[in-house]
Each structure stands twice: as C-alpha cells, then as structure tokens.
PDB file of all heavy atoms in Angstrom:
ATOM      1  N   GLY A   1       2.529  -0.626  -2.945  1.00 88.00           N
ATOM      2  CA  GLY A   1       3.151   0.310  -3.859  1.00 88.00           C
ATOM      3  C   GLY A   1       2.266   0.687  -5.031  1.00 88.00           C
ATOM      4  O   GLY A   1       1.486  -0.119  -5.524  1.00 88.00           O
ATOM      5  N   ASN A   2       2.435   1.931  -5.472  1.00 84.00           N
ATOM      6  CA  ASN A   2       1.650   2.419  -6.599  1.00 84.00           C
ATOM      7  C   ASN A   2       2.309   2.039  -7.922  1.00 84.00           C
ATOM      8  O   ASN A   2       3.451   1.580  -7.968  1.00 84.00           O
ATOM      9  CB  ASN A   2       1.427   3.928  -6.499  1.00 84.00           C
ATOM     10  CG  ASN A   2       2.723   4.719  -6.648  1.00 84.00           C
ATOM     11  OD1 ASN A   2       3.667   4.301  -7.299  1.00 84.00           O
ATOM     12  ND2 ASN A   2       2.765   5.894  -6.038  1.00 84.00           N
ATOM     13  N   SER A   3       1.568   2.218  -8.984  1.00 79.00           N
ATOM     14  CA  SER A   3       2.100   2.009 -10.337  1.00 79.00           C
ATOM     15  C   SER A   3       1.797   3.258 -11.146  1.00 79.00           C
ATOM     16  O   SER A   3       1.123   4.178 -10.663  1.00 79.00           O
ATOM     17  CB  SER A   3       1.452   0.782 -10.989  1.00 79.00           C
ATOM     18  OG  SER A   3       0.075   1.010 -11.219  1.00 79.00           O
ATOM     19  N   ALA A   4       2.280   3.276 -12.366  1.00 69.00           N
ATOM     20  CA  ALA A   4       2.111   4.470 -13.194  1.00 69.00           C
ATOM     21  C   ALA A   4       0.645   4.819 -13.414  1.00 69.00           C
ATOM     22  O   ALA A   4       0.284   5.985 -13.548  1.00 69.00           O
ATOM     23  CB  ALA A   4       2.806   4.266 -14.534  1.00 69.00           C
ATOM     24  N   GLY A   5      -0.226   3.810 -13.436  1.00 61.00           N
ATOM     25  CA  GLY A   5      -1.620   4.093 -13.771  1.00 61.00           C
ATOM     26  C   GLY A   5      -2.596   3.924 -12.638  1.00 61.00           C
ATOM     27  O   GLY A   5      -3.785   4.169 -12.813  1.00 61.00           O
ATOM     28  N   ARG A   6      -2.127   3.495 -11.451  1.00 63.00           N
ATOM     29  CA  ARG A   6      -3.085   3.161 -10.404  1.00 63.00           C
ATOM     30  C   ARG A   6      -2.601   3.565  -9.024  1.00 63.00           C
ATOM     31  O   ARG A   6      -1.415   3.667  -8.782  1.00 63.00           O
ATOM     32  CB  ARG A   6      -3.338   1.641 -10.380  1.00 63.00           C
ATOM     33  CG  ARG A   6      -4.270   1.150 -11.446  1.00 63.00           C
ATOM     34  CD  ARG A   6      -4.607  -0.316 -11.223  1.00 63.00           C
ATOM     35  NE  ARG A   6      -5.148  -0.568  -9.892  1.00 63.00           N
ATOM     36  CZ  ARG A   6      -5.484  -1.779  -9.475  1.00 63.00           C
ATOM     37  NH1 ARG A   6      -5.354  -2.816 -10.258  1.00 63.00           N
ATOM     38  NH2 ARG A   6      -5.974  -1.940  -8.260  1.00 63.00           N
ATOM     39  N   SER A   7      -3.553   3.772  -8.140  1.00 64.00           N
ATOM     40  CA  SER A   7      -3.350   3.927  -6.704  1.00 64.00           C
ATOM     41  C   SER A   7      -3.006   5.355  -6.304  1.00 64.00           C
ATOM     42  O   SER A   7      -2.475   6.142  -7.067  1.00 64.00           O
ATOM     43  CB  SER A   7      -2.265   2.983  -6.197  1.00 64.00           C
ATOM     44  OG  SER A   7      -2.251   2.986  -4.788  1.00 64.00           O
ATOM     45  N   SER A   8      -3.338   5.647  -5.038  1.00 79.00           N
ATOM     46  CA  SER A   8      -3.044   6.944  -4.453  1.00 79.00           C
ATOM     47  C   SER A   8      -2.351   6.711  -3.118  1.00 79.00           C
ATOM     48  O   SER A   8      -2.308   5.592  -2.609  1.00 79.00           O
ATOM     49  CB  SER A   8      -4.348   7.716  -4.216  1.00 79.00           C
ATOM     50  OG  SER A   8      -5.141   7.049  -3.237  1.00 79.00           O
ATOM     51  N   LEU A   9      -1.845   7.784  -2.560  1.00 83.00           N
ATOM     52  CA  LEU A   9      -1.186   7.724  -1.255  1.00 83.00           C
ATOM     53  C   LEU A   9      -2.123   7.120  -0.207  1.00 83.00           C
ATOM     54  O   LEU A   9      -1.728   6.243   0.568  1.00 83.00           O
ATOM     55  CB  LEU A   9      -0.750   9.139  -0.876  1.00 83.00           C
ATOM     56  CG  LEU A   9      -0.026   9.397   0.428  1.00 83.00           C
ATOM     57  CD1 LEU A   9       0.869  10.624   0.264  1.00 83.00           C
ATOM     58  CD2 LEU A   9      -1.005   9.637   1.568  1.00 83.00           C
ATOM     59  N   GLU A  10      -3.360   7.583  -0.181  1.00 85.00           N
ATOM     60  CA  GLU A  10      -4.328   7.080   0.811  1.00 85.00           C
ATOM     61  C   GLU A  10      -4.597   5.589   0.630  1.00 85.00           C
ATOM     62  O   GLU A  10      -4.722   4.851   1.614  1.00 85.00           O
ATOM     63  CB  GLU A  10      -5.638   7.858   0.699  1.00 85.00           C
ATOM     64  CG  GLU A  10      -5.565   9.299   1.172  1.00 85.00           C
ATOM     65  CD  GLU A  10      -4.908  10.228   0.165  1.00 85.00           C
ATOM     66  OE1 GLU A  10      -4.747   9.822  -1.011  1.00 85.00           O
ATOM     67  OE2 GLU A  10      -4.521  11.352   0.552  1.00 85.00           O
ATOM     68  N   GLU A  11      -4.679   5.154  -0.626  1.00 87.00           N
ATOM     69  CA  GLU A  11      -4.934   3.734  -0.887  1.00 87.00           C
ATOM     70  C   GLU A  11      -3.788   2.860  -0.396  1.00 87.00           C
ATOM     71  O   GLU A  11      -4.009   1.765   0.141  1.00 87.00           O
ATOM     72  CB  GLU A  11      -5.135   3.507  -2.388  1.00 87.00           C
ATOM     73  CG  GLU A  11      -6.474   3.971  -2.919  1.00 87.00           C
ATOM     74  CD  GLU A  11      -6.558   3.751  -4.420  1.00 87.00           C
ATOM     75  OE1 GLU A  11      -6.047   4.581  -5.181  1.00 87.00           O
ATOM     76  OE2 GLU A  11      -7.136   2.715  -4.818  1.00 87.00           O
ATOM     77  N   GLU A  12      -2.553   3.325  -0.570  1.00 89.00           N
ATOM     78  CA  GLU A  12      -1.407   2.521  -0.143  1.00 89.00           C
ATOM     79  C   GLU A  12      -1.329   2.437   1.382  1.00 89.00           C
ATOM     80  O   GLU A  12      -0.986   1.399   1.935  1.00 89.00           O
ATOM     81  CB  GLU A  12      -0.109   3.081  -0.723  1.00 89.00           C
ATOM     82  CG  GLU A  12      -0.014   2.990  -2.232  1.00 89.00           C
ATOM     83  CD  GLU A  12      -0.338   1.596  -2.755  1.00 89.00           C
ATOM     84  OE1 GLU A  12       0.168   0.607  -2.202  1.00 89.00           O
ATOM     85  OE2 GLU A  12      -1.112   1.502  -3.729  1.00 89.00           O
ATOM     86  N   VAL A  13      -1.658   3.530   2.076  1.00 91.00           N
ATOM     87  CA  VAL A  13      -1.702   3.483   3.541  1.00 91.00           C
ATOM     88  C   VAL A  13      -2.804   2.536   3.999  1.00 91.00           C
ATOM     89  O   VAL A  13      -2.621   1.758   4.936  1.00 91.00           O
ATOM     90  CB  VAL A  13      -1.908   4.899   4.133  1.00 91.00           C
ATOM     91  CG1 VAL A  13      -2.182   4.820   5.636  1.00 91.00           C
ATOM     92  CG2 VAL A  13      -0.689   5.771   3.874  1.00 91.00           C
ATOM     93  N   GLU A  14      -3.954   2.574   3.317  1.00 91.00           N
ATOM     94  CA  GLU A  14      -5.041   1.656   3.662  1.00 91.00           C
ATOM     95  C   GLU A  14      -4.615   0.208   3.449  1.00 91.00           C
ATOM     96  O   GLU A  14      -4.879  -0.659   4.286  1.00 91.00           O
ATOM     97  CB  GLU A  14      -6.278   1.965   2.824  1.00 91.00           C
ATOM     98  CG  GLU A  14      -7.461   1.054   3.177  1.00 91.00           C
ATOM     99  CD  GLU A  14      -8.620   1.190   2.208  1.00 91.00           C
ATOM    100  OE1 GLU A  14      -8.395   1.481   1.026  1.00 91.00           O
ATOM    101  OE2 GLU A  14      -9.762   0.974   2.646  1.00 91.00           O
ATOM    102  N   LYS A  15      -3.918  -0.079   2.337  1.00 92.00           N
ATOM    103  CA  LYS A  15      -3.451  -1.445   2.086  1.00 92.00           C
ATOM    104  C   LYS A  15      -2.440  -1.885   3.136  1.00 92.00           C
ATOM    105  O   LYS A  15      -2.410  -3.046   3.538  1.00 92.00           O
ATOM    106  CB  LYS A  15      -2.844  -1.547   0.680  1.00 92.00           C
ATOM    107  CG  LYS A  15      -3.864  -1.853  -0.403  1.00 92.00           C
ATOM    108  CD  LYS A  15      -3.206  -2.367  -1.671  1.00 92.00           C
ATOM    109  CE  LYS A  15      -2.638  -1.254  -2.498  1.00 92.00           C
ATOM    110  NZ  LYS A  15      -2.128  -1.721  -3.811  1.00 92.00           N
ATOM    111  N   MET A  16      -1.596  -0.945   3.568  1.00 95.00           N
ATOM    112  CA  MET A  16      -0.633  -1.260   4.624  1.00 95.00           C
ATOM    113  C   MET A  16      -1.352  -1.635   5.915  1.00 95.00           C
ATOM    114  O   MET A  16      -1.035  -2.642   6.555  1.00 95.00           O
ATOM    115  CB  MET A  16       0.305  -0.069   4.848  1.00 95.00           C
ATOM    116  CG  MET A  16       1.354  -0.280   5.934  1.00 95.00           C
ATOM    117  SD  MET A  16       0.749   0.124   7.587  1.00 95.00           S
ATOM    118  CE  MET A  16       0.376   1.860   7.408  1.00 95.00           C
ATOM    119  N   ARG A  17      -2.357  -0.834   6.306  1.00 95.00           N
ATOM    120  CA  ARG A  17      -3.118  -1.126   7.525  1.00 95.00           C
ATOM    121  C   ARG A  17      -3.852  -2.460   7.394  1.00 95.00           C
ATOM    122  O   ARG A  17      -3.924  -3.251   8.342  1.00 95.00           O
ATOM    123  CB  ARG A  17      -4.123  -0.013   7.812  1.00 95.00           C
ATOM    124  CG  ARG A  17      -3.499   1.316   8.210  1.00 95.00           C
ATOM    125  CD  ARG A  17      -4.571   2.358   8.465  1.00 95.00           C
ATOM    126  NE  ARG A  17      -5.398   2.012   9.609  1.00 95.00           N
ATOM    127  CZ  ARG A  17      -6.618   2.505   9.827  1.00 95.00           C
ATOM    128  NH1 ARG A  17      -7.160   3.353   8.971  1.00 95.00           N
ATOM    129  NH2 ARG A  17      -7.312   2.144  10.894  1.00 95.00           N
ATOM    130  N   TRP A  18      -4.390  -2.730   6.223  1.00 95.00           N
ATOM    131  CA  TRP A  18      -5.104  -3.969   5.961  1.00 95.00           C
ATOM    132  C   TRP A  18      -4.151  -5.158   6.069  1.00 95.00           C
ATOM    133  O   TRP A  18      -4.480  -6.193   6.640  1.00 95.00           O
ATOM    134  CB  TRP A  18      -5.717  -3.864   4.574  1.00 95.00           C
ATOM    135  CG  TRP A  18      -6.753  -4.878   4.189  1.00 95.00           C
ATOM    136  CD1 TRP A  18      -6.656  -5.786   3.175  1.00 95.00           C
ATOM    137  CD2 TRP A  18      -8.047  -5.078   4.771  1.00 95.00           C
ATOM    138  NE1 TRP A  18      -7.809  -6.524   3.081  1.00 95.00           N
ATOM    139  CE2 TRP A  18      -8.684  -6.116   4.052  1.00 95.00           C
ATOM    140  CE3 TRP A  18      -8.730  -4.484   5.825  1.00 95.00           C
ATOM    141  CZ2 TRP A  18      -9.958  -6.575   4.358  1.00 95.00           C
ATOM    142  CZ3 TRP A  18     -10.006  -4.937   6.122  1.00 95.00           C
ATOM    143  CH2 TRP A  18     -10.605  -5.966   5.393  1.00 95.00           C
ATOM    144  N   SER A  19      -2.949  -5.007   5.522  1.00 97.00           N
ATOM    145  CA  SER A  19      -1.954  -6.084   5.567  1.00 97.00           C
ATOM    146  C   SER A  19      -1.552  -6.411   6.998  1.00 97.00           C
ATOM    147  O   SER A  19      -1.474  -7.582   7.386  1.00 97.00           O
ATOM    148  CB  SER A  19      -0.700  -5.688   4.774  1.00 97.00           C
ATOM    149  OG  SER A  19      -0.996  -5.413   3.436  1.00 97.00           O
ATOM    150  N   THR A  20      -1.276  -5.375   7.792  1.00 97.00           N
ATOM    151  CA  THR A  20      -0.818  -5.625   9.159  1.00 97.00           C
ATOM    152  C   THR A  20      -1.945  -6.153  10.042  1.00 97.00           C
ATOM    153  O   THR A  20      -1.691  -6.898  10.992  1.00 97.00           O
ATOM    154  CB  THR A  20      -0.197  -4.354   9.770  1.00 97.00           C
ATOM    155  OG1 THR A  20      -1.150  -3.279   9.723  1.00 97.00           O
ATOM    156  CG2 THR A  20       1.054  -3.948   9.001  1.00 97.00           C
ATOM    157  N   LEU A  21      -3.192  -5.781   9.749  1.00 96.00           N
ATOM    158  CA  LEU A  21      -4.312  -6.364  10.494  1.00 96.00           C
ATOM    159  C   LEU A  21      -4.316  -7.878  10.348  1.00 96.00           C
ATOM    160  O   LEU A  21      -4.488  -8.612  11.320  1.00 96.00           O
ATOM    161  CB  LEU A  21      -5.642  -5.806   9.994  1.00 96.00           C
ATOM    162  CG  LEU A  21      -6.887  -6.491  10.584  1.00 96.00           C
ATOM    163  CD1 LEU A  21      -7.099  -6.060  12.022  1.00 96.00           C
ATOM    164  CD2 LEU A  21      -8.122  -6.203   9.753  1.00 96.00           C
ATOM    165  N   TRP A  22      -4.103  -8.385   9.133  1.00 97.00           N
ATOM    166  CA  TRP A  22      -4.201  -9.821   8.876  1.00 97.00           C
ATOM    167  C   TRP A  22      -2.921 -10.569   9.210  1.00 97.00           C
ATOM    168  O   TRP A  22      -2.902 -11.797   9.180  1.00 97.00           O
ATOM    169  CB  TRP A  22      -4.628 -10.073   7.430  1.00 97.00           C
ATOM    170  CG  TRP A  22      -5.997  -9.545   7.173  1.00 97.00           C
ATOM    171  CD1 TRP A  22      -6.341  -8.470   6.429  1.00 97.00           C
ATOM    172  CD2 TRP A  22      -7.223 -10.047   7.724  1.00 97.00           C
ATOM    173  NE1 TRP A  22      -7.700  -8.259   6.467  1.00 97.00           N
ATOM    174  CE2 TRP A  22      -8.266  -9.217   7.264  1.00 97.00           C
ATOM    175  CE3 TRP A  22      -7.541 -11.123   8.568  1.00 97.00           C
ATOM    176  CZ2 TRP A  22      -9.605  -9.432   7.603  1.00 97.00           C
ATOM    177  CZ3 TRP A  22      -8.867 -11.323   8.913  1.00 97.00           C
ATOM    178  CH2 TRP A  22      -9.882 -10.489   8.434  1.00 97.00           C
ATOM    179  N   GLY A  23      -1.857  -9.842   9.547  1.00 97.00           N
ATOM    180  CA  GLY A  23      -0.680 -10.543  10.051  1.00 97.00           C
ATOM    181  C   GLY A  23       0.612 -10.346   9.308  1.00 97.00           C
ATOM    182  O   GLY A  23       1.564 -11.104   9.517  1.00 97.00           O
ATOM    183  N   ALA A  24       0.733  -9.331   8.443  1.00 98.00           N
ATOM    184  CA  ALA A  24       2.009  -9.070   7.779  1.00 98.00           C
ATOM    185  C   ALA A  24       3.008  -8.537   8.795  1.00 98.00           C
ATOM    186  O   ALA A  24       2.738  -7.563   9.496  1.00 98.00           O
ATOM    187  CB  ALA A  24       1.823  -8.076   6.635  1.00 98.00           C
ATOM    188  N   ASP A  25       4.179  -9.161   8.862  1.00 98.00           N
ATOM    189  CA  ASP A  25       5.217  -8.749   9.812  1.00 98.00           C
ATOM    190  C   ASP A  25       6.059  -7.599   9.286  1.00 98.00           C
ATOM    191  O   ASP A  25       6.640  -6.839  10.058  1.00 98.00           O
ATOM    192  CB  ASP A  25       6.128  -9.933  10.122  1.00 98.00           C
ATOM    193  CG  ASP A  25       5.385 -11.065  10.798  1.00 98.00           C
ATOM    194  OD1 ASP A  25       5.113 -10.956  12.000  1.00 98.00           O
ATOM    195  OD2 ASP A  25       5.066 -12.067  10.122  1.00 98.00           O
ATOM    196  N   THR A  26       6.178  -7.499   7.969  1.00 98.00           N
ATOM    197  CA  THR A  26       6.821  -6.357   7.328  1.00 98.00           C
ATOM    198  C   THR A  26       6.025  -6.039   6.065  1.00 98.00           C
ATOM    199  O   THR A  26       5.237  -6.859   5.587  1.00 98.00           O
ATOM    200  CB  THR A  26       8.291  -6.625   6.930  1.00 98.00           C
ATOM    201  OG1 THR A  26       8.347  -7.445   5.754  1.00 98.00           O
ATOM    202  CG2 THR A  26       9.070  -7.304   8.052  1.00 98.00           C
ATOM    203  N   VAL A  27       6.243  -4.839   5.529  1.00 98.00           N
ATOM    204  CA  VAL A  27       5.678  -4.481   4.231  1.00 98.00           C
ATOM    205  C   VAL A  27       6.794  -3.898   3.380  1.00 98.00           C
ATOM    206  O   VAL A  27       7.752  -3.316   3.906  1.00 98.00           O
ATOM    207  CB  VAL A  27       4.507  -3.473   4.333  1.00 98.00           C
ATOM    208  CG1 VAL A  27       3.338  -4.071   5.090  1.00 98.00           C
ATOM    209  CG2 VAL A  27       4.956  -2.168   4.977  1.00 98.00           C
ATOM    210  N   MET A  28       6.676  -4.082   2.067  1.00 98.00           N
ATOM    211  CA  MET A  28       7.624  -3.464   1.146  1.00 98.00           C
ATOM    212  C   MET A  28       6.888  -2.500   0.237  1.00 98.00           C
ATOM    213  O   MET A  28       5.848  -2.849  -0.339  1.00 98.00           O
ATOM    214  CB  MET A  28       8.351  -4.521   0.308  1.00 98.00           C
ATOM    215  CG  MET A  28       9.307  -5.381   1.113  1.00 98.00           C
ATOM    216  SD  MET A  28      10.500  -6.275   0.074  1.00 98.00           S
ATOM    217  CE  MET A  28      11.636  -4.945  -0.355  1.00 98.00           C
ATOM    218  N   ASP A  29       7.401  -1.280   0.123  1.00 96.00           N
ATOM    219  CA  ASP A  29       6.855  -0.292  -0.795  1.00 96.00           C
ATOM    220  C   ASP A  29       7.600  -0.436  -2.120  1.00 96.00           C
ATOM    221  O   ASP A  29       8.773  -0.057  -2.232  1.00 96.00           O
ATOM    222  CB  ASP A  29       7.042   1.112  -0.232  1.00 96.00           C
ATOM    223  CG  ASP A  29       6.598   2.189  -1.210  1.00 96.00           C
ATOM    224  OD1 ASP A  29       5.847   1.867  -2.153  1.00 96.00           O
ATOM    225  OD2 ASP A  29       7.009   3.353  -1.034  1.00 96.00           O
ATOM    226  N   LEU A  30       6.924  -0.993  -3.112  1.00 95.00           N
ATOM    227  CA  LEU A  30       7.518  -1.240  -4.423  1.00 95.00           C
ATOM    228  C   LEU A  30       6.980  -0.251  -5.465  1.00 95.00           C
ATOM    229  O   LEU A  30       6.841  -0.592  -6.630  1.00 95.00           O
ATOM    230  CB  LEU A  30       7.241  -2.682  -4.866  1.00 95.00           C
ATOM    231  CG  LEU A  30       7.632  -3.782  -3.876  1.00 95.00           C
ATOM    232  CD1 LEU A  30       7.408  -5.152  -4.487  1.00 95.00           C
ATOM    233  CD2 LEU A  30       9.086  -3.627  -3.435  1.00 95.00           C
ATOM    234  N   SER A  31       6.702   0.961  -5.041  1.00 93.00           N
ATOM    235  CA  SER A  31       6.093   1.956  -5.923  1.00 93.00           C
ATOM    236  C   SER A  31       6.967   2.237  -7.147  1.00 93.00           C
ATOM    237  O   SER A  31       8.189   2.364  -7.047  1.00 93.00           O
ATOM    238  CB  SER A  31       5.861   3.265  -5.172  1.00 93.00           C
ATOM    239  OG  SER A  31       4.866   3.114  -4.182  1.00 93.00           O
ATOM    240  N   THR A  32       6.293   2.342  -8.293  1.00 91.00           N
ATOM    241  CA  THR A  32       6.968   2.678  -9.548  1.00 91.00           C
ATOM    242  C   THR A  32       6.247   3.810 -10.278  1.00 91.00           C
ATOM    243  O   THR A  32       6.601   4.142 -11.411  1.00 91.00           O
ATOM    244  CB  THR A  32       7.027   1.450 -10.485  1.00 91.00           C
ATOM    245  OG1 THR A  32       5.694   0.978 -10.733  1.00 91.00           O
ATOM    246  CG2 THR A  32       7.847   0.331  -9.870  1.00 91.00           C
ATOM    247  N   GLY A  33       5.222   4.365  -9.633  1.00 88.00           N
ATOM    248  CA  GLY A  33       4.420   5.392 -10.292  1.00 88.00           C
ATOM    249  C   GLY A  33       4.845   6.803  -9.919  1.00 88.00           C
ATOM    250  O   GLY A  33       6.027   7.097  -9.777  1.00 88.00           O
ATOM    251  N   GLU A  34       3.847   7.659  -9.726  1.00 86.00           N
ATOM    252  CA  GLU A  34       4.109   9.052  -9.392  1.00 86.00           C
ATOM    253  C   GLU A  34       4.264   9.215  -7.875  1.00 86.00           C
ATOM    254  O   GLU A  34       3.827   8.380  -7.097  1.00 86.00           O
ATOM    255  CB  GLU A  34       2.958   9.936  -9.894  1.00 86.00           C
ATOM    256  CG  GLU A  34       2.725   9.846 -11.400  1.00 86.00           C
ATOM    257  CD  GLU A  34       3.938  10.272 -12.198  1.00 86.00           C
ATOM    258  OE1 GLU A  34       4.623  11.232 -11.787  1.00 86.00           O
ATOM    259  OE2 GLU A  34       4.207   9.635 -13.241  1.00 86.00           O
ATOM    260  N   ALA A  35       4.900  10.315  -7.484  1.00 90.00           N
ATOM    261  CA  ALA A  35       5.012  10.701  -6.068  1.00 90.00           C
ATOM    262  C   ALA A  35       5.561   9.566  -5.208  1.00 90.00           C
ATOM    263  O   ALA A  35       5.037   9.274  -4.123  1.00 90.00           O
ATOM    264  CB  ALA A  35       3.657  11.166  -5.542  1.00 90.00           C
ATOM    265  N   ILE A  36       6.614   8.915  -5.666  1.00 94.00           N
ATOM    266  CA  ILE A  36       7.177   7.778  -4.919  1.00 94.00           C
ATOM    267  C   ILE A  36       7.641   8.200  -3.522  1.00 94.00           C
ATOM    268  O   ILE A  36       7.294   7.533  -2.533  1.00 94.00           O
ATOM    269  CB  ILE A  36       8.322   7.109  -5.720  1.00 94.00           C
ATOM    270  CG1 ILE A  36       7.758   6.422  -6.962  1.00 94.00           C
ATOM    271  CG2 ILE A  36       9.071   6.104  -4.859  1.00 94.00           C
ATOM    272  CD1 ILE A  36       8.819   5.817  -7.868  1.00 94.00           C
TER     273      ILE A  36
END
C-alpha cells in the first residue's frame, strides 16, 4: 500500500509480485495516499 508521501501504482504491483514470489499466500492493500 501507498502512503501520502511515497510509492506509485507500479511500485505496489512490483511489491505484490515480490511478496508472492517469496511465499505470501495473501496480500493486503493498506493504501492511505493518493489514487487509492
């Protein structure tokens, strides 16, 4: 998830792919910034 001062849509998708590669069974989007 993004925050008010950090991250972009592409970065969050990359983090999601990175998480599932290493074994995350679910992900939660806890964005609080822009373009939620």
Side-chain angles (χ1 to χ4, degrees):
N2 66 28
S3 66
R6 281 188 55 181
S7 190
S8 65
L9 180 152
E10 290 78 14
E11 285 178 278
E12 294 310 314
V13 171
E14 182 189 31
K15 273 198 280 186
M16 180 274 298
R17 292 180 65 201
W18 193 243
S19 301
T20 57
L21 172 74
W22 296 109
D25 297 283
T26 76
V27 297
M28 291 197 76
D29 175 18
L30 307 185
S31 292
T32 58
E34 301 300 322
I36 292 176

